[in-house]
Amino acid sequence: MKTLKKTYNYLFFLLVFTIPFEDDIRIIPNILIGVLAVILPFIEKNFKHFLYIKKSYLVAIGLMFFIGLTSFINGTISDDFYIIKKLLILIAVLILSVPIKKHTSILLFFIVSVFLGNIISIFNIVDYILKTENFEIASGQKINDLLFIERLYFGFNNSLNVAFSLVLWSKARKKLKIFLLISILLSVFMLLLVASRMAIITVFIILLIKIFYHINFKKSLITVALVLGTISAFFLLNDNLAKRFFYVDKKNDFVHKIREWEPRFVIWKCSYIHVKGTTYSLFFGDGFYKTQQNLNKCYIDSISKEKRLKFFLETRFNTHNQYLDLLMSKGLFGLSIFLFLIYWLYTRNKKDINKLNILLVLVLFSLVENFFHRQIGVYLFALILVVLTITDSEETILNE
């Protein structure tokens, strides 16, 4: 039985390791979930009881149940199933995490995975530059082909990598601290290199919080000045970063370029129009499929340039905001459950600044992405729930 438990733990850690690469190796995490589900009843006979006492899990599963139930009642279950089937992964991961007693190994496996992904991305970028003699990687699709995952989720993964590394830092031995420092610096370097805007802002806030929380005010100001100086140097030396982050264009002003280049300017405007409309169901929403149809109609009415309209319709841009997505698709009730879950996680972890930084990553990325619409997004959401729910002892990491 002890061997089986150890095997189960390492299979779960392997599942965590595959998450950053989920887009390319989707079959592997699916197989691992199946194997873990078979083993679970043999090593944790009371997993239902342990699931019950993990209140954040119950709230999350309750949200998934509400989403499925409202789709069923509204007769949109078949239309919304493309989202609902992804959310089943969340329930599976939460249940399968019940036998895991320590989150430190989960964090470490994820950190190593992102570190490996960053190394792969560096090789791809260097190879591209050597072949093309061109360092201009500002366009979305070009950089997405070079990174181990598309830019937005590259930023999400690396932001979590920094936050996870800071959790381990305080309890890690010297050798592990060296690796964690290298991992953090590599993540920051890669985010600046590929100009992942939200991730840069998120990591900057996390580091500021960490600095001011643990260092006296005078030293904090000096450290912040050094960080700002380093970031400023990147903006001055990396034209790609400045172009993408500030929408630099000599021909047009900043506001004009946001309207032209940032899809969310149109998306959020259409979302507002929809929520203010008379046909919108305020308390239960309109379902995921109908919401997307309404957005598509608004794009047709709002976008005059044929090429841009074609891009929006072919891409089927969703709200790119998890709060808006739940408000429009599942109404005030759905959004309220999600916000209550975030509040519950906050109250559970409010005494641990490192855990709150992880929650902050979730809160900020919810502003720019619907992670419920992407399988890797659901995995990352589940991973954050697991890490913020499992409690480790304060013993030194890797003491065993």
Side-chain angles (χ1 to χ4, degrees):
M1 184 62 70
K2 190 175 181 180
T3 302
L4 190 60
K5 283 187 177 181
K6 186 174 288 189
T7 301
Y8 184 95
N9 286 344
Y10 279 105
L11 285 174
F12 190 87
F13 300 150
L14 182 59
L15 172 64
V16 172
F17 182 85
T18 65
I19 289 176
F21 300 96
E22 191 274 339
D23 268 2
D24 295 322
I25 54 171
R26 184 159 296 175
I27 190 172
I28 296 178
N30 290 343
I31 291 172
L32 288 170
I33 285 178
V35 175
L36 288 166
V38 172
I39 301 176
L40 177 62
F42 296 99
I43 65 163
E44 194 63 80
K45 299 186 184 300
N46 294 321
F47 72 89
K48 292 181 181 178
H49 167 72
F50 286 107
L51 185 64
Y52 176 75
I53 64 176
K54 294 176 184 289
K55 297 296 190 295
S56 56
Y57 284 12
L58 292 180
V59 177
I61 292 174
L63 175 59
M64 302 305 105
F65 178 77
F66 176 82
I67 288 173
L69 181 63
T70 51
S71 293
F72 177 77
I73 293 174
N74 293 332
T76 60
I77 190 76
S78 59
D79 292 332
D80 292 343
F81 190 69
Y82 73 106
I83 300 295
I84 294 172
K85 68 179 181 180
K86 295 183 178 72
L87 298 179
L88 294 175
I89 293 172
L90 171 63
I91 298 175
V93 173
L94 295 183
I95 293 174
L96 294 173
S97 73
V98 168
I100 308 299
K101 306 305 180 186
K102 291 187 175 184
H103 75 249
T104 51
S105 295
I106 294 174
L107 298 178
L108 195 54
F109 271 77
F110 183 85
I111 291 167
V112 171
S113 181
V114 174
F115 182 83
L116 177 62
N118 284 334
I119 296 298
I120 293 171
S121 300
I122 288 174
F123 276 108
N124 289 341
I125 291 172
V126 170
D127 182 61
Y128 171 79
I129 293 172
L130 292 176
K131 287 180 178 178
T132 64
E133 297 183 353
N134 177 22
F135 193 70
E136 178 56 59
I137 53 176
S139 62
Q141 188 52 50
K142 189 185 300 179
I143 191 62
N144 286 337
D145 293 337
L146 299 175
L147 301 177
F148 71 91
I149 192 170
E150 67 179 75
R151 179 160 23 200
L152 180 63
Y153 280 94
F154 179 84
F156 198 172
N157 277 285
N158 274 284
S159 297
L160 282 177
N161 181 54
V162 173
F164 286 179
S165 296
L166 293 176
V167 172
L168 295 186
W169 181 270
S170 59
K171 296 182 284 183
R173 287 186 167 185
K174 186 176 181 180
K175 288 183 180 180
L176 180 56
K177 279 188 175 181
I178 293 172
F179 169 71
L180 293 175
L181 179 60
I182 293 172
S183 180
I184 291 172
L185 292 176
L186 182 59
S187 284
V188 173
F189 171 77
M190 291 301 294
L191 292 176
L192 290 170
L193 182 66
V194 306
S196 181
R197 290 190 300 266
M198 178 52 77
I200 292 172
I201 294 170
T202 301
V203 169
F204 181 68
I205 294 173
I206 287 173
L207 293 177
L208 278 182
I209 293 172
K210 184 71 174 178
I211 290 168
F212 279 101
Y213 189 81
H214 289 287
I215 306 177
N216 66 56
F217 186 73
K218 186 177 180 180
K219 289 182 178 179
S220 296
L221 290 179
I222 295 173
T223 305
V224 170
L226 290 173
V227 171
L228 287 175
T230 303
I231 294 174
S232 299
F234 259 91
F235 279 107
L236 291 172
L237 297 174
N238 187 352
D239 187 53
N240 166 62
L241 178 60
K243 282 183 178 179
R244 177 167 168 77
F245 204 93
F246 296 114
Y247 298 98
V248 173
D249 190 322
K250 296 179 181 178
K251 297 180 181 179
N252 298 289
D253 61 42
F254 179 73
V255 175
H256 175 81
K257 295 315 297 179
I258 287 182
R259 289 177 178 175
E260 289 296 311
W261 290 4
E262 180 51 72
R264 291 177 184 85
F265 184 87
V266 175
I267 295 168
W268 291 348
K269 181 180 178 181
C270 283
S271 299
Y272 175 77
I273 292 172
H274 175 68
V275 170
K276 294 288 287 185
T278 56
T279 60
Y280 167 66
S281 176
L282 178 62
F283 293 105
F284 295 101
D286 296 332
F288 296 109
Y289 180 79
K290 186 178 178 181
T291 294
Q292 187 60 55
Q293 293 300 101
N294 288 327
L295 285 175
N296 290 344
K297 289 178 184 177
C298 183
Y299 299 154
I300 294 172
D301 296 334
S302 304
I303 302 173
S304 57
K305 294 182 179 179
E306 185 177 342
K307 185 177 180 180
R308 195 176 192 215
L309 175 59
K310 183 180 179 182
F311 173 62
F312 268 67
L313 295 178
E314 288 180 350
T315 308
R316 292 178 60 83
F317 276 126
N318 56 42
T319 58
H320 277 64
N321 182 303
Q322 192 57 66
Y323 308 108
L324 265 180
D325 179 54
L326 287 171
L327 178 63
M328 295 174 67
S329 301
K330 295 300 165 183
L332 280 177
F333 286 147
L335 176 61
S336 297
I337 298 172
F338 181 69
L339 292 176
F340 177 74
L341 174 61
I342 291 175
Y343 172 75
W344 185 277
L345 292 171
Y346 166 76
T347 57
R348 178 182 175 83
N349 297 282
K350 62 183 178 181
K351 294 182 179 180
D352 188 336
I353 192 66
N354 294 316
K355 294 283 191 70
L356 289 180
N357 276 336
I358 296 173
L359 182 60
L360 181 63
V361 174
L362 174 66
V363 170
L364 292 180
F365 270 88
S366 295
L367 292 171
V368 296
E369 175 62 358
N370 296 3
F371 42 79
F372 285 172
H373 288 239
R374 290 285 300 275
Q375 194 156 303
I376 186 174
V378 174
Y379 272 115
L380 291 172
F381 180 62
L383 178 62
I384 291 171
L385 285 180
V386 171
V387 170
L388 294 181
T389 301
I390 298 176
T391 304
D392 279 359
S393 63
E394 291 298 318
E395 63 181 334
T396 303
I397 298 170
L398 298 185
N399 235 8
E400 302 171 345

